[in-house]
Amino acid sequence: MAIKPYHHAAAGWGALKYVAINLVKERVSGVNYRSLLAQNQPDGFDCPGCAWPDREHASTFEFCENGVKAVAAESTSKRVTPAFFAGHTVAQLLEQSDYELEQHGRLTHPMAYDPASDKYLPIAWDDAFKLIAEELNALDDPDQAAFYTSGRASNEAAFLYQLFVRAYGTNNFPDCSNMCHEATSRGLPGTVGIGKGTVTLDDFEHADTLLIFGQNPATNHPRMLGELRDCARRGATIVSINPLRERGLERFTSPQHPLEMLTLSSTPISSMFVQPRLGGDLALIKAMAKRLLELDDRAVLIGAPRTLDMDFISAHTVGFAEFARDLRAERWPLLVEESGVSREQIDQLTHIYINGQRVIATWGMGLTQHKHSVATVQMLSNLMMMRGQIGKRGAGLCPVRGHSNVQGDRTMGIEEQPTAAFLDRMERVFGFAPPHRHGYDVVATIGAMAQGKIKVFVGLGGNFAMATPDTPLTFKALQSCALTVQIATKLNRGHLIHGRKALILPTLGRTEIDLQNGVPQGVTVEDSMSMVHISYGLNKPASPELLSEIAIVSRMAEATLGNRHQLKWRAYRNDYAVIRDDIEKVFDDFYDYNARVARPGGFHLKVASREREWLTASGKAQFVPQAIALDTPIHRARARYGQRLLVMMTTRSHDQYNTTIYAMDDRYRGVFGMRRVIFINQADIDMLGMLAGDWVDVQSVWDDGVERRAGGFMLVAYDIPRGCIGAYYPETNPLVPLASVADGAGTPTSKSIPVLLTPAVAS
């Protein structure tokens, strides 16, 4: 274990070194190495990692370090067989770390929990589906079951899943979007009419300014760095706005460019770094809007060119006058204090925005996992509308989603709050009346399980137990269920935190050949920029016992529903084109689905706001004023504890994707062989009377009387604003109260938790 500053650029030879290490560690066979050259290719498979789009889906080298780690984890030769489970009780497996559990390899057989032996035992597929059907059909109300969806599920699997669950009778669809970009999905419809970004990859070639909020591309979507490199080299201005100064936004050495590799050179990415305090983005963006308006007022007064795009505002928006009144009334001292950014830097940032003729604003979970995240997304929309930077080439809104098909799953109907129009269309196409009452999201599902209202939990991928907040409460909630079902490729802790009855159902990975009746099947995904393309696996399945997600969902539905509604489950799993034929009957934008997805690169789904069509109640883009809240849990905690109160953000290490931990290093941040660290400003270490390297316990401050504590973290002095700390998840998820959610979105506020640090107590 060591803390050693990392002085190299992001990617480069370091990335290639870790690619080789992971391929060896996972014992990937030589024949599976060809998978890398097929990754993100027209005749290959879509990366199971992030949702960054592909450049024309046809480059010769379209993978990154973390994409290789994801493929290596799926292509590993290590296996978790029935013999493995026979040699380990659940209690013994629970003693292993999350990293150790993942390292055992691919699941090979369906398994059922046996309470007498505390072990998982083999079960036949037919018996597994029979058990699920019996438990679901024994419930008093379909709303006593919840159906979770990971962002790795394909469009076809997600569509069948929601069809099955709605035919069963509930809208309980907690999904990974509830924990990440839900604020985007809920915020953008109120301003521009649709909860998706307005740009494509082509726009990055024409942008002259990029504002990057709350992102760490080098770790979370490394292929984005290639686009940023190209933008920087042709002179675009790139600004990083994030509490942590991340290496990937400083310097990047592209493995795809031999000259940079051979000369050990790199490309500077960001020309300016702005480090707001945690939760300060709303005040910062509002401050930029206020300064922009002030400069426009001055221009009008002296007869100079205006800073606002009044033609766009007049033709395409409503509500500007009220929005402007709110900006003029806002106090500068409040905006500076709440943002943590000086007036001088706000002014500098605003002038960069004004000078940009084609501006893209991108953001990640640094904006969306806060109490006021919906307001922040809407304020960013307001700012971009003030200069008409939406719906023109080289400009627009760019939320960067995390998991590879989280956006596609939502498009396919994985939504606990479905619209009446969607449900009516489902009824016309399939002949049954779907339930209209809203269902549970992730946080509500955990609460309902804890209260005994949810008795059956089905997880289509993911690691629900570890990805969610308030870990001890979530564990108890899952353990109170009558049945938990986990559909997965690899073992994780979520399989060991189970109901009284439990199933682990192993599924094909995206890299694997999916044969149905001897015909290879492809599945489709939608990336962050609304491109839909098809994916074909190339590797031999890890076990002949594996079923595809589509086969598992359809057989689960067939066993549970029987001939109810006469839905064609067998036809769906025999030929995935049949699923796509029915998808286009429900969604107009998927017309000629099979034909269009067969073209190299697939097709782009229409995003109305990109074309300056506004699907709002007014028919125009809407300015939405946002107040700066002064009575939040953080404000109340700070008033009680003073400067001792710190605000914590959870974050990933570089050797991690979501809850999957590939290794114990975070080299760009200089952390090696350990994960229990706290990134903290040196001045705050001094204030606490401690030293870098000291060990502390972390306790969250909340008003429900529950003690939430995580112990044994090393202090690491880091470039982070005073009063703010960073730590890895899932280790710090126990500190996130279930009730601490984004207003209007329900997303856990994992980037703004009030905490106290105390000297570690030896356990």
Side-chain angles (χ1 to χ4, degrees):
M1 299 191 299
I3 305 298
K4 297 184 296 185
Y6 188 82
H7 300 294
H8 307 288
W13 290 107
L16 294 186
K17 172 185 173 182
Y18 276 80
V19 163
I21 289 173
N22 274 270
L23 291 172
V24 172
K25 183 177 68 175
E26 292 289 359
R27 303 177 199 163
V28 177
S29 65
V31 69
N32 285 347
Y33 278 21
R34 66 191 177 123
S35 301
L36 300 180
L37 297 179
Q39 192 169 340
N40 302 314
Q41 298 298 312
D43 57 351
F45 63 91
D46 197 82
C47 178
C50 79
W52 187 254
D54 309 325
R55 174 59 62 190
E56 298 181 358
H57 214 66
S59 103
T60 57
F61 189 63
E62 266 294 343
F63 56 86
C64 63
E65 177 186 347
N66 279 4
V68 172
K69 291 174 185 174
V71 171
E74 197 168 279
S75 303
T76 180
S77 62
K78 295 182 284 187
R79 299 288 182 263
V80 179
T81 64
F84 170 88
F85 284 110
H88 299 82
T89 65
V90 167
Q92 290 169 339
L93 290 171
L94 281 169
E95 294 176 358
Q96 298 185 17
S97 69
D98 296 278
Y99 171 67
E100 290 170 324
L101 291 173
E102 290 276 353
Q103 289 304 302
H104 292 304
R106 290 290 301 277
L107 297 161
T108 62
H109 290 70
M111 308 296 293
Y113 180 67
D114 173 46
S117 63
D118 190 36
K119 293 180 179 180
Y120 274 97
L121 304 178
I123 185 173
W125 278 108
D126 286 344
D127 292 337
F129 295 127
K130 180 181 178 183
L131 173 61
I132 295 169
E134 289 173 348
E135 292 291 332
L136 288 175
N137 289 326
L139 297 177
D140 297 327
D141 186 328
D143 285 338
Q144 292 179 328
F147 299 83
Y148 176 73
T149 317
S150 159
R152 279 182 60 168
S154 65
N155 285 344
E156 292 78 6
F159 182 80
L160 283 198
Y161 199 44
Q162 66 83 29
L163 176 62
F164 157 48
V165 172
R166 291 195 164 101
Y168 173 67
T170 185
N171 285 313
N172 287 343
F173 281 113
D175 77 318
C176 59
S177 183
N178 297 154
M179 294 184 283
C180 56
H181 263 285
E182 197 67 68
T184 299
S185 300
R186 304 303 179 201
L188 290 183
T191 55
V192 298
I194 187 170
K196 296 184 180 184
T198 67
V199 304
T200 67
L201 215 51
D202 175 73
D203 289 307
F204 279 77
E205 296 182 1
H206 302 278
D208 58 40
T209 305
L210 293 98
L211 306 179
I212 303 175
F213 290 88
Q215 285 181 264
N216 179 16
T219 289
N220 298 330
H221 24 267
R223 286 188 298 136
M224 181 180 180
L225 287 180
E227 298 300 327
L228 297 181
R229 174 190 181 275
D230 292 344
C231 291
R233 290 177 74 88
R234 61 177 173 76
T237 300
I238 301 174
V239 182
S240 172
I241 304 162
N242 194 46
L244 294 177
R245 185 170 170 136
E246 301 287 11
R247 177 53 49 84
L249 290 171
E250 293 178 326
R251 292 181 290 124
F252 171 59
T253 298
S254 173
Q256 297 194 34
H257 291 82
L259 184 61
E260 281 193 349
M261 295 292 285
L262 292 173
T263 61
L264 302 180
S265 60
S266 61
T267 299
I269 300 298
S270 297
S271 56
M272 181 180 181
F273 288 85
V274 180
Q275 293 176 272
R277 69 197 307 179
L278 287 168
D281 295 280
L282 173 58
L284 173 61
I285 298 168
K286 188 170 187 180
M288 291 176 64
K290 180 177 176 66
R291 185 60 180 144
L292 180 60
L293 184 63
E294 289 176 347
L295 293 170
D296 188 74
D297 288 342
R298 181 184 300 172
V300 171
L301 186 64
I302 65 175
R306 302 191 66 170
T307 60
L308 300 183
D309 186 341
M310 294 308 301
D311 290 340
F312 177 87
I313 291 171
S314 299
H316 291 283
T317 74
V318 296
F320 178 72
E322 181 184 356
F323 174 68
R325 281 194 298 271
D326 178 73
L327 288 182
R328 291 189 175 99
E330 192 61 270
R331 296 176 293 122
W332 271 113
L334 175 66
L335 294 175
V336 170
E337 171 65 22
E338 290 298 313
S339 68
V341 180
S342 69
R343 276 290 302 268
E344 292 76 18
Q345 199 168 41
I346 290 169
D347 197 62
Q348 183 183 1
L349 180 57
T350 305
H351 276 90
I352 287 174
Y353 177 53
I354 290 171
N355 290 334
Q357 299 304 303
R358 297 175 300 280
V359 182
I360 293 176
T362 82
W363 68 95
M365 288 185 286
L367 286 198
T368 63
Q369 291 185 323
H370 299 277
K371 178 175 173 59
H372 45 255
S373 54
V374 171
T376 304
V377 168
Q378 292 188 335
M379 183 57 70
L380 184 55
S381 294
N382 293 334
L383 179 68
M384 294 289 279
M385 289 189 294
M386 291 174 79
R387 286 188 48 77
Q389 296 290 352
I390 300 175
K392 69 178 184 180
R393 195 176 198 186
L397 301 167
C398 182
V400 180
R401 312 275 177 169
H403 226 151
S404 61
N405 199 40
V406 61
Q407 184 161 302
D409 289 350
R410 182 57 59 90
T411 299
M412 290 294 104
I414 300 298
E415 162 70 275
E416 79 278 2
Q417 300 180 43
T419 65
F422 166 71
L423 295 175
D424 290 344
R425 188 68 170 264
M426 288 284 292
E427 183 170 2
R428 290 198 298 273
V429 171
F430 295 106
F432 69 89
H436 280 247
R437 59 192 176 278
H438 286 176
Y440 293 132
D441 64 7
V442 163
V443 167
T445 293
I446 296 168
M449 285 191 293
Q451 297 168 23
K453 296 179 181 179
I454 294 291
K455 301 180 185 301
V456 174
F457 176 88
V458 180
L460 182 60
N463 186 355
F464 186 87
M466 296 307 295
T468 46
D470 224 336
T471 308
L473 175 61
T474 298
F475 281 11
K476 290 180 181 178
L478 284 164
Q479 290 165 337
S480 72
C481 289
L483 173 68
T484 53
V485 180
Q486 303 288 354
I487 302 165
T489 58
K490 298 185 77 177
L491 183 66
N492 64 51
R493 193 167 303 278
H495 306 150
L496 311 176
I497 308 298
H498 54 74
R500 292 187 294 279
K501 297 178 182 178
L503 293 170
I504 301 174
L505 305 182
T507 186
L508 290 172
R510 197 175 290 169
T511 62
E512 292 172 313
I513 299 168
D514 183 356
L515 288 178
Q516 303 297 333
N517 292 330
V519 179
Q521 301 292 321
V523 295
T524 58
V525 297
E526 177 187 347
D527 63 34
S528 271
M529 297 181 190
S530 303
M531 288 296 299
V532 178
H533 41 262
I534 199 160
S535 176
Y536 288 92
L538 295 178
N539 294 343
K540 180 181 177 181
S543 164
E545 287 289 319
L546 301 184
L547 296 181
S548 69
E549 289 183 336
I550 289 167
I552 292 172
V553 170
S554 64
R555 290 183 63 178
M556 188 162 49
E558 201 169 38
T560 304
L561 302 176
N563 293 322
R564 199 185 315 173
H565 311 312
Q566 297 183 333
L567 297 169
K568 46 194 179 188
W569 304 113
R570 189 176 299 274
Y572 288 143
R573 66 175 174 267
N574 286 342
D575 184 357
Y576 300 172
V578 177
I579 308 173
R580 292 188 283 272
D581 285 339
D582 279 357
I583 289 173
E584 73 175 62
K585 294 175 185 176
V586 175
F587 302 105
D588 291 338
D589 288 344
F590 284 82
Y591 65 91
D592 294 336
Y593 195 173
N594 280 302
R596 288 198 293 160
V597 84
R599 302 169 192 158
F603 61 92
H604 185 258
L605 288 173
K606 178 181 177 180
V607 177
S609 49
R610 174 177 173 80
E611 301 177 24
R612 294 190 171 179
E613 298 175 13
W614 315 106
L615 305 179
T616 61
S618 66
K620 293 190 174 184
Q622 301 177 152
F623 282 96
V624 182
Q626 299 293 348
I628 305 298
L630 297 177
D631 184 24
T632 68
I634 291 174
H635 287 93
R636 294 192 293 272
R638 189 173 286 127
R640 180 178 178 186
Y641 293 101
Q643 64 177 355
R644 289 177 50 219
L645 192 284
L646 302 171
V647 181
M648 181 191 74
M649 64 177 286
T650 68
T651 187
R652 300 170 182 164
S653 73
H654 187 66
D655 272 330
Q656 176 179 357
Y657 195 77
N658 291 342
T659 58
T660 301
I661 298 166
Y662 299 123
M664 301 298 287
D665 295 344
D666 190 2
R667 69 178 186 276
Y668 295 155
R669 297 188 183 122
V671 179
F672 297 89
M674 59 192 303
R675 290 183 55 82
R676 298 187 79 83
V677 297
I678 296 289
F679 299 106
I680 182 171
N681 190 294
Q682 180 63 54
D684 285 322
I685 298 177
D686 297 339
M687 176 270 297
L688 293 170
M690 298 181 182
L691 300 173
D694 284 353
W695 293 85
V696 298
D697 294 341
V698 190
Q699 179 180 348
S700 58
V701 178
W702 204 248
D703 57 6
D704 58 3
V706 176
E707 182 180 73
R708 296 177 177 87
R709 181 182 295 271
F713 291 81
M714 178 191 285
L715 295 179
V716 176
Y718 207 78
D719 185 2
I720 188 171
R722 284 219 57 185
C724 303
I725 63 173
Y728 301 132
Y729 87 97
E731 288 84 353
T732 49
N733 281 358
L735 299 167
V736 183
L738 191 68
S740 184
V741 297
D743 297 337
T747 308
T749 61
S750 301
K751 295 289 188 290
S752 52
I753 297 299
V755 300
L756 298 173
L757 302 184
T758 55
V761 177
S763 58

